[in-house]
Amino acid sequence: MWTSSALPSLALGLASLSGTLAQSYNTIPVIKAVGQHFFYSNNGSQFYLKGVAYQENYNPNGTSSSNTQYTDPLADASKCSRDIPYMKQIFTNVIRVYAIDPTQNHDDCMEQLASNDIYVVADLSEPGTSIDSNDPSWDVTLYTRYTAVVDSLSKYKNVIGFFAGNEVVSAQNQTAAAAFVKAAVRDTKGYIKQMNYRDTLGVGYATADVPSRDELAHYFACEPEGGNSTSIDFWGYNVYSWCGDSNYETSSYGERVEFFQDYPVPVFFAEYGCIEGVDGGATHRPFTEVAVLYGNMTSVFSGGIVYEWFYSENEYGLVEVNGDSVSPYPDFTSLSSQLAKVSPTITQSSTYTPSNTAPACPTVGGTTWAAVASPLPPAVNPQLCTCEVANLECTIDSDDEDSYAAVFNYICGADETYCEGIAHNATSGDYGALGGCSPKQQLAWVANQYYEGSSNKASACDFSGLAKTQSPTTSAGCEALISAAGTDGRGTVPSPTGQQGTAAASSSSKGAAAGTMSAPSFFNYGTTFFAAYVITALVSGVGMFVL
């Protein structure tokens, strides 16, 4: 590791930060996806990602973490001004951020990034609020979080788009979770359109290099219902197969190029930079893959994002940061040197006609794929959930979610039909209209079903004090929503209207209380159920495919 208090090549970056801005987040040309490539909107030149993952103290994965605090990388202007000049030394034109706080102001950092020609791809989840690989759902808590991030970042023209999930499917028995991520893609794209946000804002998915990667790529790009309302706009590939001085064949890069040559949307490395088997250790990555990524792979791949900026306990990281000091490691220099040599072929949008079409969807079968292509989980509509609960005669009077499991277990075990309205089985495509509501709202629904099935006896709405009877109310606009969902909860879910995320957003960034987070859906408690078979088979379907 080396340090420098004065680097000549930083002068331009520092000048742009402290002097007149060359451009702002209002004037920077947007990046748009056309077919298999990205292009600058102003001159039609092809855009290749030369990026770095930029998030402190964060380990992204497809599980709900118990540590729900994080540091928003775009909320501290002083950190951005400290780091951006160094980013320019490695030719950075895009950063990937894994969790931002939508309640914070990001204007200063986004302006600094724009003035240095740096774009942003942002993940929509945060620690504790992500689609869980093993207990997947797409619900009001997630929808509120996702739309809040979109609301927060939509005005910045240097935002390319969003990831609706990162490595949610990381094992062969987790492929059912893909259905809930694709529902998130659909609803996020629908929200962007409904709010009249910029139509070049894309929504994609970042996959791990797992055995089901090919099925995943086809599943997220296929269009079983016609149009592209449910398909991803770009595909991120987290790949660590090129280690040290590997090569095109050993790393399987050639196989990836061959597989994606007919893919209908841009593909790029959402993370790369293996640290295994590197001479000199993790901080000495030679980045010899750069010449290939920006060389003979450019007909298919649109560049990549190095993992990661900040050195951390996982031994990944290009720099060590201590207060206002930035100390690059040797692999920072290697990356800079390798990127300085590349000159990828530039295609002009005016001469490019997309010809690739959507692939066929993978089919459910064996132990390889467990998510039916259609239908997807229904749209999440927070208003429907609120309306339904207000219209019940028996509701839940407790916020103690640790006590919900036993009640779910008892009711669903007594009669499966009581729980059909909250079913979400990705393998059979069996979904209830209330499956996207919060755990408390779902429990209120099934408790009311049990109450009505017990001839409205007062004793059938108690559950050791968790439930109580109430006088049903129907607010304006609720009648049509409740009617669509049906008395058995097996009907349809109208798409929500109006702004959804901003008003309801809460912060769990550094310094905020973890208690502001909503809990995951009820079946996270499945290990305590004495009728686990009922819950697994009826509701989630996840347990049906295990190796």
Side-chain angles (χ1 to χ4, degrees), residues 360-376:
C361 299
T363 56
V364 173
T367 58
T368 59
W369 191 254
V372 67
S374 182
L376 292 174

Side-chain angles (χ1 to χ4, degrees), residues 385 388-408 411 438-451 460-470 522:
C385 298
E388 286 283 10
V389 171
N391 193 53
L392 302 176
E393 292 184 72
C394 178
T395 191
I396 298 302
D397 193 36
S398 172
D399 293 321
D400 179 17
E401 294 182 343
D402 289 338
S403 63
Y404 291 176
V407 182
F408 274 118
I411 296 174
S438 71
K440 184 176 182 179
Q441 291 167 330
Q442 291 186 45
L443 184 57
W445 168 265
V446 299
N448 189 74
Q449 292 289 302
Y450 179 84
Y451 175 69
C461 184
D462 183 73
F463 301 106
S464 300
L466 260 69
K468 69 174 184 179
T469 57
Q470 66 176 13
F522 76 85

Side-chain angles (χ1 to χ4, degrees), residues 100-398:
I100 67 106
D101 180 351
T103 68
Q104 298 296 309
N105 186 295
H106 303 105
D107 287 357
D108 201 327
C109 276
M110 293 302 293
E111 191 82 347
Q112 292 183 45
L113 291 165
S115 70
N116 282 271
D117 304 309
I118 298 176
Y119 293 82
V120 174
V121 176
D123 287 49
L124 293 169
S125 60
E126 65 177 344
T129 312
S130 60
I131 298 174
D132 194 300
S133 304
N134 297 309
D135 285 324
S137 65
W138 173 236
D139 58 24
V140 291
T141 301
L142 289 160
Y143 182 72
T144 299
R145 161 68 192 181
Y146 280 35
T147 53
V149 174
V150 172
D151 288 340
S152 176
L153 297 181
S154 61
K155 72 175 182 178
Y156 305 115
K157 290 186 177 179
N158 54 331
V159 173
I160 295 174
F162 310 97
F163 281 128
N166 180 70
E167 299 188 359
V168 177
V169 178
S170 56
Q172 199 74 0
N173 64 341
Q174 296 172 341
T175 58
F180 301 92
V181 183
K182 192 165 183 177
V185 170
R186 176 202 61 207
D187 288 357
T188 303
K189 290 178 65 169
Y191 184 69
I192 290 170
K193 183 176 181 179
Q194 179 230 310
M195 293 299 297
N196 291 317
Y197 292 147
R198 177 164 45 91
D199 62 7
T200 53
L201 284 171
V203 183
Y205 175 74
T207 182
D209 193 15
V210 293
S212 57
R213 65 194 181 194
D214 291 354
E215 289 94 341
L216 282 165
H218 284 159
Y219 181 78
F220 278 97
C222 73
E223 301 167 357
E225 298 172 10
N228 65 349
S229 62
T230 67
S231 60
I232 41 96
D233 298 310
F234 50 77
W235 186 250
Y237 188 27
N238 300 344
V239 57
Y240 294 89
S241 61
W242 187 302
C243 300
D245 293 314
S246 187
N247 57 62
Y248 193 63
E249 289 75 27
T250 303
S251 65
S252 298
Y253 275 24
E255 294 178 16
R256 296 296 88 205
V257 170
E258 183 178 356
F259 175 80
F260 283 109
Q261 63 183 353
D262 297 323
Y263 209 59
V265 299
V267 182
F268 59 91
F269 285 176
E271 292 176 7
Y272 76 96
C274 173
I275 62 173
E276 302 298 327
V278 175
D279 291 342
T283 59
H284 289 71
R285 290 177 288 181
F287 285 110
T288 50
E289 66 265 48
V290 166
V292 174
L293 179 58
Y294 296 95
N296 58 326
M297 294 178 67
T298 54
S299 62
V300 175
F301 279 80
S302 295
I305 298 172
V306 169
Y307 188 80
E308 59 179 320
W309 182 255
F310 299 97
Y311 187 82
S312 61
E313 292 179 357
N314 63 14
E315 297 188 315
Y316 286 90
L318 296 170
V319 302
E320 184 80 40
V321 174
N322 185 8
D324 294 331
S325 173
V326 178
S327 302
Y329 283 100
D331 56 357
F332 177 99
T333 305
S334 297
L335 179 62
S336 178
S337 175
Q338 293 287 353
L339 285 168
K341 302 173 187 176
V342 302
S343 55
T345 301
I346 302 297
T347 299
Q348 290 296 130
S349 60
S350 59
T351 64
Y352 173 66
T353 302
S355 58
N356 294 346
T357 57
C361 299
T363 56
V364 173
T367 58
T368 59
W369 191 254
V372 67
S374 182
L376 292 174
V380 173
N381 190 322
Q383 185 184 4
L384 167 65
C385 298
T386 301
C387 289
E388 286 283 10
V389 171
N391 193 53
L392 302 176
E393 292 184 72
C394 178
T395 191
I396 298 302
D397 193 36
S398 172

Side-chain angles (χ1 to χ4, degrees), residues 28-47:
I28 190 171
V30 301
I31 303 300
K32 60 180 181 180
V34 179
Q36 214 170 10
H37 303 309
F38 289 111
F39 295 96
Y40 287 98
S41 60
N42 61 336
N43 60 19
S45 295
Q46 188 175 354
F47 177 83

Side-chain angles (χ1 to χ4, degrees), residues 497-509:
T497 58
Q499 195 168 50
Q500 299 294 323
T502 299
S506 60
S507 168
S508 287
S509 58

Side-chain angles (χ1 to χ4, degrees), residues 138-140 186-187 375-389 417-425 429-438 441-442 445-446 449 480-496 538-539:
W138 173 236
D139 58 24
V140 291
R186 176 202 61 207
D187 288 357
L376 292 174
V380 173
N381 190 322
Q383 185 184 4
L384 167 65
C385 298
T386 301
C387 289
E388 286 283 10
V389 171
T417 61
Y418 294 151
C419 294
E420 288 181 347
I422 63 169
H424 37 295
N425 188 320
D430 184 24
Y431 299 105
L434 284 299
C437 297
S438 71
Q441 291 167 330
Q442 291 186 45
W445 168 265
V446 299
Q449 292 289 302
L481 293 174
I482 294 172
S483 176
T487 56
D488 60 356
R490 302 292 294 169
T492 60
V493 181
S495 296
L538 172 66
V539 182

